[in-house]
Amino acid sequence: MKKIVSIILVLFVAKSALGQTRFISKGIIEFKKRTNLWADLKGSYAEQMKKSSPEYKTDYFNYEFDNDKSIYAPGRQSNDKPSSFFGTPATDNEVYSDYKTRKYIARKSVFEKTFLIEDSLRNATWKITNDFREIAGFNCRRATTIIMDSIFVVAYYTDEIMISGGPESFNGLPGMIMGLVINRLHTTWYATKIQENGVDAKDISPPKSGKKTDNEKLLDILKSSMKVWGDDALSNIWAAMI
Amino acid sequence: MKKIAPAFILLYFLPKLVFCQSSIVRGSISDSTSSIKPANAVISLLRQKDSTLVKFVRSDQNGNFEIDKLDSGEYLVMITYPKYGDYIDHIKLQNAQTLDLNKIYLTRKAKLLEAIIIHQAAMRIKGDTTEFTADSFHIKPNANVEDLLKELPGIQVDKDGKITAQGQQVQKILVDGDEFFSDDPTVATRNLRADAIDKVQIYDKKSDEATFTGIDDGQKTKTINLKLKDNARHGYFGKLSAGALDKYYNASAMINAFKAKRKLAAFAIASSTDQTGLNWDDSRNYGFDNNDVAFDGSSVTVTSNESGDLGVSDFYGQGLPKSIKAGLHFSNKWNGEKYNANGNYVFNKMSTVSSGNTYTQNILADSVYYTRNTANINSDKLRHTLSGKIEIQFDSSSSLKLTAFGSAGNSQNVSEGQTESLSQENKRVNSSIRNSTSDGNNADFNTSVLWRKKLKKQGRTISISFNERYSESDSKAFMNNRSNFYNTNSFVYTTDTTDQNKLNDVSNNIIGAKATYTEPLSKKSFLEFNYSLYNNNSIQKIETFNKDFSGKYSVLVDSLSNDFKYSYLTHSGGVNYLFNDKEVNFSFGGNIANTAFQQTDNFRDSTRKSNYYNFFPRASFRYKFNAFSNFNINYNGSTRQPTIDQIQPLKNNDDPLNIIVGNPALKQQFSNTFNMFYNNYQVLNQRFFYLGGNANFTKDQISSSYTIDTLGRKVSRYVNVDGNYSFGFYGGVGMKIPKTNITVQIGPNANISQSGNYINGEKNTTKNTNLSARLAMRMDKKDVYEFGFAAAPAYTNSKSSISSVAGTQYWSYLFSLEGDYQLPWKMEIGSDVDFNLRQKISAFDINNNVILWNAYLEKKFLKNDMLRLRASINDILDQNKGYSRTVQPYAIEEKNYLTFRRYGLITLIYNFNNKGGTGAPTTKF
């Protein structure tokens, strides 16, 4: 993985007020993913767990993009102390997206197995709102959708970045998703910084190793293997399928 | 198997996809102030009904864009570009249509510190519509729509709930574009919760025909449309409120149950206070109908007057009412909005006790005389109103709209009063004591049908409408009067008594039809042809009886009885030219009309006919500077026909000292009217500016001629007078003072008019000047306090040519302060004070200054302050006075009347709602 050497924070003030706005078509965006580990804890077991483990789990991902293609992969280590929870599935995903051909190739570790999922990109129906939030110096518009029939997703996107991408499999907005909130999974993704250029087109290539499958088959596998899990199964399936 | 099924589905739909030809939207983007053509701007098409993203593209290096492969339907075009304001437009795509939006101008946001988070735009202007986003304004939890409107720039709401927007009174409040409890806007503004509102839109609603043909017929109604939030459209919400103390009470309930397009609402109010907002539309609801028909060549406007120029005022809107009011509303849309129906029912019952004194200075050549009048009136009024609308969109090119409105009511009055006339030297000339009772029923029924069709060629349209308006009333009255007439030594030398029974039966029926055809000359210019036919029929039967020897009212008084028929038939044909462009919009044209009048006096067996040809010119021009600023000016000519009361040759002796006589020779009046308006908003600076003006010149204005007879009685006749005019100017400037939470608004107003009448055969011309201004300031700190201050000085000057004695000028001032403050323990305290200061005029010597001070203390309970307990006191100083001053060409009048004074209320208010689903779309993985 390439190290980020120089980071240019693209602030609005840095741009000339009169000239044409510069649009970004290639670069690297760092996302901070935070998951609340306590949210789903219940009962006496909960108090015990809360003592032994931090409230939040933080991970960093880099989203490297060039025109129509991108690769989303784990980035720098977080300083969080390791959690005593056994890991939720599919946290260190590598996702390759080609927005032109609508191709999606992802490598996900689900418990003991590593899958290579080849499928088409997610087609979400986005509802555009009139609310805004500033993320990493970009004025981002709020959009919402519902995935997998029941999970409400909020995304903040900026039209100053040309690519229609986002963390994981999220895409399809008129610009880059800089923030993502999935309340049901107690997880948020927010862009922390962006480096323009310094991208080698060759670096943006699909992951290769792993057991080949597609989303439908993966879902079947997850469903059958987690039948006896009860309530926990659903959130684990969702986490793996996003 | 699983894989085969999708393949079959695909095969099934494939032919359809091929046949269903797709549409294209294209356009070009420019900066509104420079030559920059924004590249890479995002053009998104959102589905109109739920704003889901359908497709998007980015503009090319020259700012051009094209979106293809679109299905027909309604979309929102949203264009965004960093640091520019969003452009949003609503479009409708037909099958296989290529819609060219041409040049679209984006406007740069001010050079603010860009790091500031920009919240959703608080305000937008689109064409004639100004739109505010409700959530952008600070309001308290559980605030109602009226509280919200008070916060919007350029809008004022007075104590009765009357709304003024951009300098003009708002006449209609719609909810999601539909009528909501017909004509009483306070039902919506005082009972709907502010947090259910998404957008507040203000515009001049044109007539249905104008909206369809795009050709302005000059009929405009200042309208506020409240767009509900999505979640308010799915669920129920409402308010219950009950207050009482001592003999005063005020209770209201409203519930709204909305489900997608279906709206159900009901309300009920019972009150013995002045807090019900009944004053607004009641002149129409309760007034004895006296329809005023205006005609501008192609369309008829019918308005109702409380009383004619010479009518005797009935103390309406004054006194102490007890009222019950209740209503039901239903609206729904089916089949993809193909069918749209809307119905409203309102029941109204009001009992009023009123009393008052009127002092009048009557103007004569080089002298004046005074009239003093005291009256006590008890009235009971009842009315049912039912209205409905059905709209059917047959296909994308033709539609039918049916509307109906009906009402039936009863009105009863008991009054007693005294009048005396005094000479300039304060000597009594005459006096009278009278008692009267009346019992009347009235009903009216209006229907209209409008059929519209767009023909194949774009811009070629046809529309046909039928209208009917029928009203009738009958009344039975008894009056008893005794008048004394005094000689110069103040001794009674003659006495006159009247003891009569009057039966009055009036009906008015207007039937009309109109056909309009538009023909495109080019993409931007059109010709409109119209033809209309209207017939107006009025019948009035008045029978006045004196008592016979046995004490029965059976002796018909010929001079006070009549059976009169008045009708006129108008044919009108006209042509208009219309030019429509993004920035410039103008039209001109005119109608030629023939009106044939016929008056038949069945009682005296005489018929009178007359015939007029009129030319009705009209022109309008609009220029749009940018999305936040426009200017328009228009001109039209219109006639006004005499009403049946004005034209029939009959004496009205309701007040024997003030007799009114109709005039069969009365001609129609003709007015030339000019209007202009300029409007400018600065969104980020939070400033607004508007300026309006109007001018009116009237030929043959229907006015009065009066003589004082030898007994000191006033006998008035309707006559035509030439040379009347009026000019008016109004404006408003408002802004938020930077770095504070203070907004200020200033609005000046000026009116100059000249009107004429005849006094003892001599022509009198009165010049009136009214100047006023309003300075208002508001400041608030969310969840801490709100404070407002307003000052409104006004100057009136009136000068009559006939008299060197009479002439009036005076100042009046209104200062008001209002504020509220959030106390600990979820308590709130609030108060408002009005200082009404009126300069005395030489004619009268009464102090009419009033300081009206109200206050309340409130405690909130439950989540979101859903329950509130409020203790309030009205007119703490107990010095309120009912007061009005009227300056007319022939008289200056001051009136004092009974009104509410100090009272307290303990009120419990409960707001409830269920938060419905978000209405977000679902997508399968």
Side-chain angles (χ1 to χ4, degrees):
Chain A
M1 201 59 231
K2 201 172 195 166
K3 276 196 177 173
I4 298 168
V5 184
S6 65
I7 292 158
I8 305 159
L9 285 174
V10 183
L11 293 174
F12 277 27
V13 277
K15 281 179 269 173
S16 138
L18 283 169
Q20 286 275 41
T21 305
R22 200 151 44 96
F23 288 87
I24 299 162
S25 55
K26 57 170 95 172
I28 303 170
I29 301 167
E30 186 191 65
F31 282 98
K32 183 180 183 179
K33 179 187 173 192
R34 280 183 101 204
T35 306
N36 187 326
L37 302 173
W38 291 3
D40 275 344
L41 295 177
K42 284 180 209 100
S44 55
Y45 169 70
E47 290 314 308
Q48 199 187 330
M49 290 301 284
K50 280 181 187 174
K51 276 176 203 154
S52 63
S53 111
E55 189 175 2
Y56 287 99
K57 180 178 188 295
T58 307
D59 295 297
Y60 289 95
F61 286 85
N62 290 329
Y63 179 87
E64 207 169 333
F65 66 100
D66 186 357
N67 289 310
D68 294 319
K69 297 182 182 70
S70 71
I71 179 88
Y72 169 85
R76 68 183 157 108
Q77 289 291 309
S78 89
N79 298 325
D80 286 357
K81 57 176 182 180
S83 158
S84 63
F85 286 95
F86 56 86
T88 40
T91 46
D92 293 334
N93 301 340
E94 267 183 74
V95 181
Y96 169 84
S97 305
D98 185 341
Y99 302 103
K100 203 172 187 178
T101 59
R102 313 271 323 142
K103 203 158 141 191
Y104 167 82
I105 302 172
R107 187 167 63 187
K108 295 184 179 178
S109 303
V110 182
F111 304 117
E112 74 280 21
K113 272 188 192 147
T114 299
F115 293 99
L116 189 71
I117 305 145
E118 292 191 41
D119 214 318
S120 58
L121 275 165
R122 180 197 302 281
N123 284 317
T125 305
W126 290 102
K127 184 166 172 157
I128 307 293
T129 75
N130 226 352
D131 299 325
F132 295 87
R133 172 184 270 197
E134 186 175 90
I135 299 169
F138 290 85
N139 189 28
C140 298
R141 189 183 278 271
R142 184 175 180 268
T144 63
T145 191
I146 286 179
I147 58 166
M148 292 180 263
D149 285 345
S150 55
I151 304 175
F152 188 69
V153 178
V154 177
Y156 294 93
Y157 73 94
T158 174
D159 56 3
E160 291 193 77
I161 300 174
M162 295 288 284
I163 199 160
S164 294
E168 298 285 357
S169 62
F170 293 93
N171 74 95
L173 283 163
M176 178 66 198
I177 297 170
M178 303 295 274
L180 196 65
V181 179
I182 304 179
N183 265 329
R184 288 288 286 273
L185 302 178
H186 315 294
T187 307
T188 61
W189 287 256
Y190 282 110
T192 52
K193 52 200 169 190
I194 172 165
Q195 173 201 336
E196 238 191 310
N197 303 318
V199 179
D200 191 344
K202 278 180 285 178
D203 284 339
I204 303 174
S205 58
K208 287 189 179 70
S209 58
K211 187 181 182 311
K212 281 195 180 175
T213 182
D214 61 22
N215 277 317
E216 202 182 1
K217 284 182 204 147
L218 178 63
L219 188 62
D220 284 342
I221 294 166
L222 291 171
K223 274 182 177 165
S224 60
S225 64
M226 288 190 241
K227 252 176 199 162
V228 292
W229 283 37
D231 285 347
D232 273 345
L234 210 53
S235 60
N236 275 302
I237 291 172
W238 287 335
M241 295 303 294
I242 56 166
Chain B
M1 271 310 281
K2 265 187 182 171
K3 289 217 167 151
I4 295 167
F8 267 112
I9 290 166
L10 195 65
L11 276 172
Y12 176 74
F13 279 110
L14 206 56
K16 294 205 169 181
L17 289 170
V18 174
F19 283 114
C20 182
Q21 284 174 294
S22 65
S23 306
I24 295 170
V25 174
R26 64 160 74 108
S28 164
I29 302 165
S30 304
D31 184 310
S32 60
T33 52
S34 71
S35 58
I36 295 171
K37 304 225 178 272
N40 290 326
V42 172
I43 299 96
S44 305
L45 276 194
L46 312 181
R47 207 153 52 178
Q48 153 84 7
K49 64 173 191 205
D50 56 12
S51 69
T52 53
L53 181 67
V54 176
K55 236 175 179 183
F56 65 88
V57 293
R58 287 189 184 253
S59 58
D60 68 16
Q61 290 309 309
N62 299 317
N64 298 323
F65 67 88
E66 186 173 288
I67 307 177
D68 58 7
K69 292 178 191 151
L70 290 164
D71 290 334
S72 61
E74 289 189 65
Y75 294 97
L76 293 172
V77 181
M78 179 175 88
I79 302 177
T80 61
Y81 191 75
K83 287 187 289 174
Y84 281 69
D86 291 351
Y87 172 92
I88 293 182
D89 196 4
H90 168 235
I91 59 166
K92 208 170 183 174
L93 279 183
Q94 315 290 351
N95 225 351
Q97 185 191 3
T98 299
L99 181 66
D100 197 341
L101 298 172
N102 298 317
K103 271 218 154 70
I104 293 165
Y105 290 101
L106 296 186
T107 307
R108 183 182 289 279
K109 291 173 186 169
K111 288 163 201 158
L112 281 180
L113 250 186
E114 256 82 350
I116 289 173
I117 301 166
I118 293 159
H119 294 291
Q120 50 178 325
M123 207 259 354
R124 287 163 209 256
I125 294 186
K126 176 97 212 318
D128 287 336
T129 305
T130 307
E131 182 181 274
F132 297 98
T133 302
D135 285 346
S136 315
F137 297 88
H138 284 180
I139 38 163
K140 285 182 256 180
N142 290 316
N144 59 23
V145 171
E146 190 174 298
D147 298 327
L148 169 66
L149 294 178
K150 283 180 185 167
E151 295 292 326
L152 305 182
I155 297 187
Q156 292 152 26
V157 185
D158 77 3
K159 287 203 156 58
D160 297 329
K162 238 180 241 176
I163 302 161
T164 309
Q166 293 161 352
Q168 287 166 300
Q169 193 181 318
V170 174
Q171 285 150 316
K172 245 185 192 358
I173 299 251
L174 305 177
V175 174
D176 278 340
D178 276 327
E179 297 266 351
F180 199 67
F181 296 114
S182 49
D183 291 328
D184 189 352
T186 52
V187 172
T189 57
R190 293 198 168 160
N191 291 293
L192 283 182
R193 298 163 56 87
D195 62 7
I197 307 301
D198 181 20
K199 298 274 175 3
V200 177
Q201 297 173 324
I202 302 164
Y203 52 90
D204 291 319
K205 189 177 159 64
K206 294 174 189 161
S207 71
D208 285 328
E209 279 153 60
T211 310
F212 176 71
T213 60
I215 290 160
D216 210 331
D217 55 10
Q219 293 186 56
K220 280 180 183 169
T221 317
K222 197 52 116 191
T223 302
I224 288 183
N225 182 29
L226 303 170
K227 280 182 78 179
L228 294 174
K229 280 180 185 162
D230 271 354
N231 60 7
R233 291 195 185 117
H234 298 264
Y236 61 86
F237 61 95
K239 185 176 149 185
L240 297 172
S241 157
L245 192 70
D246 198 14
K247 60 183 178 177
Y248 294 98
Y249 59 87
N250 193 7
S252 68
M254 180 174 212
I255 179 159
N256 302 280
F258 296 166
K259 191 177 172 189
K261 300 278 189 291
R262 193 221 353 95
K263 293 193 182 71
L264 258 175
F267 80 94
I269 298 168
S271 175
S272 71
T273 71
D274 51 354
Q275 292 172 7
T276 47
L278 280 163
N279 298 349
W280 192 341
D281 62 325
D282 294 345
S283 60
R284 196 189 129 183
N285 285 358
Y286 297 111
F288 198 79
D289 256 25
N290 188 5
N291 290 341
D292 216 344
V293 183
F295 186 59
D296 73 348
S298 64
S299 55
V300 172
T301 319
V302 183
T303 49
S304 301
N305 284 349
E306 276 174 85
S307 53
D309 266 354
L310 303 172
V312 186
S313 162
D314 70 344
F315 280 103
Y316 182 71
Q318 302 155 7
L320 309 177
K322 280 192 179 133
S323 63
I324 297 173
K325 195 168 183 177
L328 274 172
H329 167 89
F330 169 80
S331 67
N332 203 353
K333 290 171 181 164
W334 298 271
N335 266 15
E337 310 198 2
K338 234 177 161 178
Y339 302 96
N340 179 356
N342 175 337
N344 291 287
Y345 166 75
V346 176
F347 167 79
N348 219 325
K349 186 176 187 308
M350 182 155 82
S351 306
T352 311
V353 176
S354 59
S355 68
N357 305 305
T358 310
Y359 305 90
T360 313
Q361 183 194 51
N362 300 282
I363 298 162
L364 299 174
D366 288 319
S367 72
V368 294
Y369 76 98
Y370 300 95
T371 311
R372 269 191 217 152
N373 176 27
T374 313
N376 296 307
I377 301 173
N378 287 356
S379 70
D380 288 293
K381 287 159 180 170
L382 179 93
R383 190 174 139 112
H384 301 269
T385 308
L386 198 60
S387 65
K389 180 187 83 174
I390 296 170
E391 259 182 299
I392 304 165
Q393 189 79 39
F394 296 110
D395 50 57
S396 61
S397 71
S398 68
S399 69
L400 186 73
K401 182 175 166 179
L402 301 149
T403 58
F405 172 93
S407 78
N410 175 271
S411 155
Q412 292 177 17
N413 274 296
V414 178
S415 75
E416 44 126 348
Q418 293 174 36
T419 307
E420 60 179 6
S421 303
L422 302 167
S423 71
Q424 194 166 346
E425 295 78 31
N426 231 9
K427 280 190 173 163
R428 206 192 283 189
V429 177
N430 57 41
S431 67
S432 79
I433 298 173
R434 64 199 164 104
N435 291 295
S436 68
T437 60
S438 72
D439 185 347
N441 295 309
N442 51 67
D444 65 337
F445 185 66
N446 308 326
T447 51
S448 72
V449 180
L450 174 64
W451 176 77
R452 299 180 287 193
K453 169 102 186 147
K454 287 180 180 164
L455 300 172
K456 254 188 191 152
K457 188 169 177 184
Q458 188 139 18
R460 186 178 287 169
T461 66
I462 200 163
S463 76
I464 293 169
S465 65
F466 293 93
N467 289 294
E468 197 209 3
R469 185 188 164 103
Y470 177 77
S471 63
E472 64 167 28
S473 66
D474 62 79
S475 68
K476 187 175 184 180
F478 294 93
M479 61 173 274
N480 195 323
N481 177 78
R482 186 189 163 86
S483 303
N484 292 326
F485 300 94
Y486 302 86
N487 64 17
T488 44
N489 300 323
S490 299
F491 289 114
V492 177
Y493 75 96
T494 305
T495 303
D496 178 30
T497 53
T498 313
D499 184 1
Q500 289 173 337
N501 174 16
K502 285 190 179 234
L503 302 177
N504 189 344
D505 211 329
V506 197
S507 72
N508 179 247
N509 194 15
I510 301 170
I511 295 182
K514 181 178 175 184
T516 307
Y517 174 78
T518 59
E519 175 65 29
L521 300 175
S522 71
K523 271 197 164 174
K524 290 176 178 173
S525 60
F526 305 86
L527 269 184
E528 183 231 50
F529 302 89
N530 67 69
Y531 175 76
S532 61
L533 185 68
Y534 278 93
N535 188 36
N536 187 328
N537 239 317
S538 303
I539 297 168
Q540 186 165 37
K541 204 172 167 187
I542 295 176
E543 289 173 307
T544 304
F545 297 97
N546 278 338
K547 267 187 180 161
D548 62 16
F549 295 110
S550 64
K552 271 190 184 163
Y553 293 98
S554 64
V555 183
L556 189 68
V557 185
D558 286 359
S559 64
L560 297 172
S561 301
N562 206 359
D563 182 357
F564 194 75
K565 195 177 162 194
Y566 168 50
S567 66
Y568 52 88
L569 177 70
T570 302
H571 292 267
S572 172
V575 185
N576 290 293
Y577 173 80
L578 176 86
F579 180 83
N580 261 337
D581 191 35
K582 275 254 161 179
E583 282 117 31
V584 180
N585 206 313
F586 68 85
S587 70
F588 59 87
N591 274 49
I592 290 175
N594 171 265
T595 307
F597 291 85
Q598 182 166 341
Q599 306 169 31
T600 310
D601 188 337
N602 291 328
F603 202 77
R604 289 165 190 83
D605 217 4
S606 70
T607 302
R608 196 178 171 117
K609 286 183 182 175
S610 53
N611 204 350
Y612 294 96
Y613 280 95
N614 277 114
F615 176 58
F616 297 93
R618 75 174 71 82
S620 75
F621 173 82
R622 187 172 92 204
Y623 187 80
K624 188 176 166 189
F625 297 95
N626 57 46
F628 304 100
S629 174
N630 63 28
F631 169 78
N632 62 61
I633 185 163
N634 59 60
Y635 157 73
N636 74 316
S638 62
T639 56
R640 181 152 289 197
Q641 321 302 346
T643 64
I644 192 162
D645 284 338
Q646 290 167 341
I647 210 158
Q648 69 171 318
L650 189 69
K651 264 204 289 195
N652 176 341
N653 71 334
D654 288 353
D655 177 355
L657 297 182
N658 188 7
I659 292 162
I660 303 163
V661 187
N663 178 5
L666 209 59
K667 289 183 280 189
Q668 59 175 6
Q669 69 180 52
F670 190 93
S671 300
N672 289 301
T673 309
F674 298 84
N675 280 299
M676 79 97 184
F677 189 68
Y678 171 77
N679 195 5
N680 185 330
Y681 279 85
Q682 292 177 15
V683 180
L684 288 166
N685 290 341
Q686 302 191 36
R687 286 181 198 176
F688 70 88
F689 173 72
Y690 62 80
L691 187 68
N694 53 63
N696 190 326
F697 304 90
T698 306
K699 194 177 170 296
D700 291 333
Q701 176 135 17
I702 297 168
S703 181
S704 71
S705 165
Y706 75 79
T707 50
I708 304 298
D709 71 8
T710 49
L711 296 175
R713 288 184 301 196
K714 184 167 142 186
V715 180
S716 313
R717 252 167 82 85
Y718 292 97
V719 290
N720 293 104
V721 175
D722 259 349
N724 283 10
Y725 62 76
S726 70
F727 295 98
F729 297 95
Y730 58 92
V733 184
M735 63 178 290
K736 182 160 185 166
I737 298 171
K739 291 175 190 163
T740 66
N741 50 0
I742 301 170
T743 52
V744 287
Q745 297 187 19
I746 301 172
N749 211 321
N751 282 292
I752 299 165
S753 65
Q754 173 174 308
S755 54
N757 68 333
Y758 288 87
I759 296 172
N760 282 339
E762 219 176 311
K763 173 140 187 210
N764 173 41
T765 304
T766 303
K767 283 188 178 160
N768 277 312
T769 307
N770 293 296
L771 304 173
S772 65
R774 186 174 184 276
L775 168 71
M777 194 201 85
R778 283 184 81 84
M779 57 191 288
D780 62 0
K781 190 168 177 188
K782 204 180 176 193
D783 302 329
V784 183
Y785 66 82
E786 277 180 19
F787 176 75
F789 165 76
Y795 171 76
T796 303
N797 186 334
S798 173
K799 187 94 194 94
S800 295
S801 67
I802 199 169
S803 170
S804 56
V805 182
T808 308
Q809 54 173 335
Y810 61 89
W811 283 89
S812 62
Y813 308 88
L814 169 69
F815 297 101
S816 64
L817 287 168
E818 59 175 322
D820 59 58
Y821 189 82
Q822 304 298 321
L823 300 168
W825 309 294
K826 289 176 97 177
M827 305 260 281
E828 180 185 317
I829 188 164
S831 183
D832 63 86
V833 197
D834 274 6
F835 299 84
N836 285 291
L837 309 176
R838 295 129 177 164
Q839 190 183 6
K840 287 182 205 171
I841 50 176
S842 56
F844 311 106
D845 195 25
I846 310 162
N847 178 9
N848 288 303
N849 294 342
V850 170
I851 299 172
L852 185 63
W853 181 26
N854 308 319
Y856 68 88
L857 182 68
E858 190 174 277
K859 164 90 177 129
K860 299 158 194 169
F861 303 91
L862 305 181
K863 201 171 102 184
N864 296 329
D865 306 339
M866 278 165 71
L867 187 68
R868 291 179 288 156
L869 180 66
R870 171 187 279 235
S872 59
I873 178 159
N874 186 63
D875 189 17
I876 295 169
L877 305 174
D878 200 22
Q879 57 159 257
N880 195 18
K881 284 177 189 157
Y883 172 79
S884 72
R885 183 184 279 168
T886 320
V887 176
Q888 286 170 314
Y890 47 86
I892 298 156
E893 186 182 283
E894 276 197 340
K895 193 187 273 183
N896 285 96
Y897 52 84
L898 186 65
T899 191
F900 287 99
R901 294 182 69 158
R902 180 163 62 204
Y903 68 87
L905 279 181
I906 307 282
T907 311
L908 198 62
I909 304 157
Y910 178 60
N911 275 285
F912 58 94
N913 72 82
N914 79 319
K915 289 277 175 237
T918 57
T922 53
T923 312
K924 289 213 169 189
F925 180 75

